[in-house]
Structures are given as C-alpha cells and as structure tokens.
C-alpha cells in the first residue's frame, strides 16, 4: 500500500514537471508599484529553434492602486541592433464594471496576456524584448510586476 502511494505521487510529480517544460523562457520584473514612462523593461532571451513557432505572453500583476481598466504598451523586439517588430498594444485589465480580469487572492491580481501567437523568430540567437508603459500618467501606480514567457 505504501509503495503504491509513493509510486503514484512520483508519477503525478513527473507529470507536473512535464506540463511545465513547454516554457522556453520566463522572467518577471518587479516594478515596485510605480512604473515610470522613462523606465524600459528589457527581457533578453535566447532562441535556439527558430524554425518552431512560439507564443509570447505577458504577465501583469496589478493591485487596487491601478487607476485604469486598461494598459497601453509600446513593445520593441530586437535581435542585436536589428528591429524585428514594433507594436503599440492596448490590453484590458478590468471588465466594464471595474472587476479585475486576472486571478489571485486579495488585492493583487495576475493576468496573462497574449502578445504573439505562433510567432516565427527570423533566426536563432539572442533577442531583447523592450516594453514601455504608454499611459497618460508619467508614473503608473498599481503595477507590481511585469513578466514575459515564451512557449
């Protein structure tokens, strides 16, 4: 009985590890509840299999100090000095009634936002994804963390 329990727990643990192996890159930057327009968040990562399409996602953790229901982002993807893409994006963080769309307990909510779906990187190598907040306030309160993951 004890051996079968250990076997099943080990099997479940291995399955959980396998489920998380699809992430090729993941990083989160703590912006400490204050994101200035002059602060560029840079995420540098290595692409090893450019022939495989990849999804690029953003992770935003906000709290109740955030005064808006959406967030504008200016995003630039570069490989070395070569610009691959430049985008201006608008994501909703709350619904029409003001309820946060993310998940979490307490005042901090986390939302995953799709940036690129099945994106083809031009070639293998180091890339930098640079993100600047594009809201009308110079200092944006209420954003605690901003992250990127690539799967």
């Amino acid at each position: 009985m004890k051996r079968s329990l250990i076997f099943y727990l080990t099997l479940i643990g291995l399955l959980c590890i396998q489920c998380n192996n699809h992430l090729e890159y993941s990083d989160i930057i703590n912006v400490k509840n204050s994101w200035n327009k002059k602060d560029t968040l840079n995420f540098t990562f290595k692409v090893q299999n450019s022939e495989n399409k990849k999804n690029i996602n953003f992770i935003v953790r906000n709290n109740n100090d955030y005064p808006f229901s959406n967030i504008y982002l200016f995003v630039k993807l570069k490989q070395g000095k070569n610009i691959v893409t430049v985008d201006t994006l608008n994501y909703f963080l709350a619904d029409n009634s003001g309820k946060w769309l993310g998940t979490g307990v307490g005042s901090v909510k986390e939302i995953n936002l799709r940036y690129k779906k099945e994106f083809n990187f031009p070639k293998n190598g180091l890339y930098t994804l640079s993100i600047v907040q594009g809201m009308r306030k110079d200092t944006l309160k209420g954003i605690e963390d901003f992250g990127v993951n690539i799967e």
Side-chain angles (χ1 to χ4, degrees), residues 52-116:
N52 295 340
K53 294 180 180 182
K54 305 188 187 321
N55 296 323
I56 306 172
N57 305 300
F58 297 141
I59 302 142
V60 178
R61 290 188 188 130
N62 66 288
N63 61 41
N64 292 331
D65 291 337
Y66 191 72
F68 305 105
S69 63
N70 68 325
I71 187 167
Y72 278 95
L73 303 172
F74 303 126
V75 180
K76 186 184 299 182
L77 178 64
K78 292 172 56 175
Q79 185 184 32
K81 294 184 179 184
N82 298 326
I83 296 173
V84 177
T85 63
V86 176
D87 294 295
T88 300
L89 307 166
N90 179 27
Y91 292 105
F92 287 96
L93 302 180
D95 64 17
N96 289 337
S97 70
K99 182 179 180 235
W100 297 119
L101 297 175
T103 60
V105 178
S107 65
V108 177
K109 301 299 179 201
E110 178 178 299
I111 188 167
N112 293 299
L113 307 167
R114 175 65 45 96
Y115 170 47
K116 297 280 187 190

Side-chain angles (χ1 to χ4, degrees), residues 23-65:
L23 283 181
E24 293 185 18
Y25 172 82
S26 184
D27 193 16
I28 293 179
I29 296 175
N30 183 319
V31 294
K32 301 175 183 167
N33 202 36
S34 181
W35 188 2
N36 192 288
K37 276 189 172 184
K38 295 178 182 177
D39 294 338
T40 302
L41 305 180
N42 291 304
F43 298 89
T44 301
F45 54 92
K46 187 174 187 177
V47 172
Q48 295 182 10
N49 297 314
S50 62
E51 62 277 357
N52 295 340
K53 294 180 180 182
K54 305 188 187 321
N55 296 323
I56 306 172
N57 305 300
F58 297 141
I59 302 142
V60 178
R61 290 188 188 130
N62 66 288
N63 61 41
N64 292 331
D65 291 337

Side-chain angles (χ1 to χ4, degrees), residues 126-137:
L126 279 179
Y127 288 82
T128 300
L129 191 60
S130 301
I131 299 145
V132 176
Q133 63 97 346
M135 301 303 284
R136 291 186 179 181
K137 292 194 173 215

